[in-house]
Amino acid sequence: MGCSECCLKCLSGIPYASLIATILLYAGVALFCGCGHEALSGTVTILQTYFDVVRSPVDALDVFTMIDIFKYVIYGVAAAFFVYGILLMVEGFFTTGAIRDLYGDFKITTCGRCVSAWFIMLTYIFMLAWLGVTAFSSLPVFMYFNIWNTCQNTTLVESSNLCFDLRQFGIVSIGEEKKLCTASENFIKMCESNELDLTFHLFVCALAGAGAAVIAMVHYLMVLSANWAYVKDACRMQKYEDIKSKEEQELHDIHSTRSKERLNAYT
């Protein structure tokens, strides 16, 4: 019986809303970072193999340098949001404990409320950032969808020679002419290979992961806002109880003093 009561007490202190948001955040970030990293590697292979794009020998800002930068950004995003998820879970545990022990010895400090407000502001900024990442992730999905869809309908475009010019997507400079036409041998090889199909679906999964991260941020905002409101009300309730207790103590002291004065007067 004692063990079951202890387990129930532990389970009652778990912030389930924060836990669900953390799981969703980790799943979304892992999906975005893992699939995005592999999709970028596949993009490098496609550009070098089928579009004949060569890495610049000098330290120029070409498409391959940008891809390397994006990979490093992905590493940073994975590490940063792993730590941020832990911080939000810790904040959820402390807030849950504060609400649960409202009428106990636990005292809600002003610092705790400021930390909750800071997390709300930071989470809102991260939500806007993930919205931007989601919009940015849709661009390679759109580009690869056009190529992938053309490969799936090669029989319909046999009569017309369609070309994909990388200059249209800003991948190469205007002076470079890197085109891949449907009648070329490289285009047929690319459509028959696994790189295009795999890279396209990896970008789709990365986009889904970014969307899941946005949902997690929205979930966190609801949880943090609710916790902050509860903590604020709890703080007001504590102040009211303290004032009430102080007034009752003063009234008790006054009655005690009067009783002593009357007793001394009689004696």
Side-chain angles (χ1 to χ4, degrees):
M1 187 65 181
C3 183
S4 61
E5 290 179 354
C6 181
C7 291
L8 290 175
K9 185 177 180 180
C10 292
L11 291 175
S12 64
I14 297 176
Y16 290 102
S18 297
L19 181 62
I20 293 172
T22 303
I23 294 174
L24 185 60
L25 175 64
Y26 282 169
V29 172
L31 197 62
F32 171 78
C33 293
C35 295
H37 184 275
E38 293 303 314
L40 290 174
S41 300
T43 300
V44 172
T45 303
I46 291 174
L47 290 176
Q48 291 178 338
T49 305
Y50 304 108
F51 285 90
D52 297 327
V53 181
V54 182
R55 184 183 291 269
S56 177
V58 296
D59 294 334
L61 190 63
D62 58 355
V63 62
F64 299 108
T65 305
M66 292 297 298
I67 288 176
D68 292 336
I69 293 174
F70 288 146
K71 286 183 178 180
Y72 286 116
V73 170
I74 284 175
Y75 300 149
V77 167
F81 279 93
F82 176 77
V83 175
Y84 191 66
I86 293 176
L87 291 177
L88 289 178
M89 273 298 298
V90 171
E91 195 273 343
F93 272 107
F94 275 107
T95 308
T96 303
I99 297 171
R100 187 182 64 250
D101 300 329
L102 174 59
Y103 298 103
D105 296 328
F106 189 90
K107 298 295 182 181
I108 302 171
T109 62
T110 305
C111 179
R113 285 178 292 160
C114 290
V115 169
S116 296
W118 171 254
F119 273 124
I120 292 174
M121 182 185 68
L122 201 59
T123 303
Y124 182 76
I125 294 173
F126 284 150
M127 184 199 69
L128 295 179
W130 275 109
L131 281 174
V133 170
T134 304
F136 182 77
S137 300
S138 64
L139 297 179
V141 172
F142 173 74
M143 290 187 290
Y144 272 100
F145 175 76
N146 289 332
I147 301 175
W148 179 81
N149 191 41
T150 304
C151 287
Q152 298 298 314
N153 299 278
T154 51
T155 55
L156 300 177
V157 296
E158 285 181 353
S159 57
S160 59
N161 188 23
L162 301 179
C163 296
F164 295 96
D165 196 340
L166 295 182
R167 292 176 296 182
Q168 297 176 338
F169 305 111
I171 296 177
V172 297
S173 61
I174 301 297
E176 296 183 71
E177 185 177 353
K178 298 294 182 181
K179 294 193 299 184
L180 187 63
C181 299
T182 55
S184 64
E185 185 180 355
N186 279 344
F187 181 82
I188 298 174
K189 288 182 179 179
M190 183 181 65
C191 291
E192 293 176 350
S193 65
N194 295 325
E195 284 90 354
L196 178 64
D197 188 72
L198 180 61
T199 304
F200 168 60
H201 288 91
L202 283 173
F203 271 121
V204 172
C205 292
L207 177 62
V214 172
I215 297 174
M217 290 293 104
V218 174
H219 196 165
Y220 268 130
L221 277 176
M222 293 189 293
V223 172
L224 291 170
S225 300
N227 287 343
W228 186 80
Y230 291 151
V231 168
K232 186 177 180 181
D233 292 340
C235 185
R236 290 178 179 177
M237 183 65 69
Q238 281 188 352
K239 289 181 179 179
Y240 171 75
E241 293 293 337
D242 292 340
I243 294 173
K244 182 180 177 182
S245 177
K246 186 177 180 180
E247 290 178 351
E248 290 178 352
Q249 184 64 36
E250 290 177 353
L251 289 174
H252 181 268
D253 293 340
I254 292 172
H255 285 303
S256 298
T257 303
R258 289 180 179 178
S259 298
K260 290 180 181 179
E261 291 176 354
R262 290 175 182 174
L263 183 61
N264 292 332
Y266 285 130
T267 57

